[in-house]
Amino acid sequence: MIQANAAAWREPLAATDATRRPRPDKWSPLEYGCHVRDVLKLYDYRLTLMLTEDDPLYPNWDQDETAIADRYDTQDPATVADELAAAAEEIAARFGAVSGAQWDRQGRRSDGARFTVETFARYFVHDPVHHLYDVTGRPPA
């Protein structure tokens, strides 16, 4: 599902208006693509923590601060599409290697939310799907 989602990002990131915000308060396809790329990397990191440490506490992440600091609005859409695809491959492979009791390993956020690897996977997959819908207006296939 993640690999298919990453492939679907190529079209909006290749569009001539990929850098244009539809409204001042809504990210452009490029900015959403950068965000999804970074979410994939962040969740891969968190998944690695869950698989290698006992009950890790995830470091906080401010997505809006990251968007500004990393200048999402000025990044190259083609590069972002490639990076998003590569990040999707990495996390898909990591989830693909999970087996048995590993699905029950736990991790937590600073707000008190607790996850097993299984619930983390379900929670995680929503973000890229939701943001692709934000950009394309088309429900996932």
Side-chain angles (χ1 to χ4, degrees):
M1 181 181 247
I2 283 301
Q3 291 162 315
N5 179 273
W9 277 95
R10 292 217 178 260
E11 181 182 336
L13 289 171
T16 57
D17 63 348
T19 61
R20 187 181 63 77
R21 284 185 166 196
R23 299 187 319 252
D25 64 332
K26 185 175 179 182
W27 279 349
S28 69
L30 171 61
E31 291 165 304
Y32 273 116
C34 289
H35 171 70
V36 169
R37 173 204 58 206
D38 289 351
V39 164
L40 294 171
K41 290 178 180 183
L42 175 70
Y43 274 71
D44 189 45
Y45 172 71
R46 289 178 175 178
L47 176 58
T48 299
L49 287 177
M50 292 175 77
L51 295 172
T52 60
E53 297 181 14
D54 290 330
D55 196 28
L57 175 64
Y58 314 136
N60 287 329
W61 182 56
D62 185 326
Q63 62 190 22
D64 295 318
E65 181 180 301
T66 301
I68 294 166
D70 290 354
R71 296 296 316 265
Y72 281 1
D73 61 323
T74 64
Q75 293 189 30
D76 176 61
T79 300
V80 171
D82 290 343
E83 292 169 347
L84 195 155
E89 289 296 325
E90 287 185 32
I91 194 165
R94 192 159 335 273
F95 271 118
V98 172
S99 65
Q102 288 180 312
W103 289 104
D104 296 324
R105 292 188 60 84
Q106 296 186 14
R108 56 201 159 88
R109 290 190 317 219
S110 63
D111 66 358
R114 299 189 67 81
F115 298 92
T116 63
V117 171
E118 181 181 358
T119 60
F120 179 79
R122 293 175 192 275
Y123 182 82
F124 153 70
V125 78
H126 166 265
D127 205 67
V129 170
H130 169 75
H131 289 316
L132 184 61
Y133 180 77
D134 288 339
V135 168
T136 65
R138 294 186 306 262

